[in-house]
Amino acid sequence: MQTEEEEFLGTDAGMGEPRVRDATRLLREFLDVSDAFERSLGVELEVNQTDLEAMEHLLMSGPLGPSELARRLGISTASATTAIDRLVAVGHVTREPNPRDRRGVLVVPNEASRARAMARLMPMIIGVDAQLDHFSAGEQETITRYLRRVVDLYQEHVGEDPRAR
């Protein structure tokens, strides 16, 4: 007799595919294509994955100190310093004095780099958001509830996010 897990993960018609619903398969496909989009953005901006994540935090939050950036990335301050050095070298960020701590510095995104990244990101974000226009308000609530549950489930399996804001 099969366990519930074996039955769920069993294959349909010998195709080797898990018995999961289309929405679950599409969610996996979404995650894969999202990763591919981020890789292509990194290539365009000439940065590696860590540097791209650093830029994302800076673009979303504004200037950050190196220690805070390290905390959000879940890396050491030495690794964050190396990432910042690379971003400075390619002109994506600058280091500026912290007006609240005269001994500290802030990592500030370059406006041209911000515009370049947003020129790629915003059409995609706006396009994704516009897809909701094809659904009624009730359907949108259902989609939102489903995605909230998926995010919560992922978070539960990840544990405490070292990059949590």
Side-chain angles (χ1 to χ4, degrees):
M1 175 158 221
Q2 288 185 329
T3 67
E4 187 177 313
E5 180 182 8
E6 290 169 333
E7 185 177 327
F8 180 76
L9 294 176
T11 58
D12 287 328
M15 299 294 289
E17 293 292 321
R19 289 183 197 146
V20 295
R21 288 170 268 204
D22 287 342
T24 304
R25 284 190 184 106
L26 284 170
L27 187 57
R28 178 70 253 162
E29 188 176 334
F30 166 76
L31 294 170
D32 290 343
V33 76
S34 179
D35 288 346
F37 177 81
E38 287 214 2
R39 284 190 304 275
S40 74
L41 182 59
V43 167
E44 183 175 325
L45 296 175
E46 302 173 34
V47 296
N48 67 28
Q49 186 62 38
T50 300
D51 298 356
L52 182 61
E53 286 182 45
M55 285 183 64
E56 288 171 354
H57 283 285
L58 293 166
L59 293 175
M60 297 305 291
S61 301
L64 295 170
S67 296
E68 176 61 15
L69 190 57
R71 186 188 71 76
R72 290 181 185 212
L73 293 171
I75 61 177
S76 69
T77 53
S79 294
T81 297
T82 300
I84 294 164
D85 289 343
R86 288 190 301 259
L87 290 171
V88 168
V90 293
H92 289 310
V93 302
T94 58
R95 286 183 174 97
E96 297 182 10
N98 185 337
R100 286 175 260 200
D101 176 2
R102 60 188 170 115
R103 295 173 296 153
V105 298
L106 291 175
V107 181
V108 180
N110 174 308
E111 195 52 47
S113 292
R114 173 189 297 277
R116 190 171 159 199
M118 294 312 237
R120 264 304 288 287
L121 289 168
M122 289 314 295
M124 189 266 307
I125 293 168
I126 290 168
V128 167
D129 190 67
Q131 295 307 305
L132 290 169
D133 295 339
H134 299 282
F135 299 94
S136 70
E139 290 171 323
Q140 289 180 37
E141 288 175 20
T142 300
I143 292 165
T144 300
R145 196 170 57 249
Y146 168 72
L147 291 173
R148 168 58 24 214
R149 289 177 178 176
V150 169
V151 168
D152 289 348
L153 183 65
Y154 263 76
Q155 188 61 48
E156 180 182 313
H157 287 272
V158 168
E160 182 60 34
D161 185 355
R163 298 178 289 187
R165 295 170 214 235

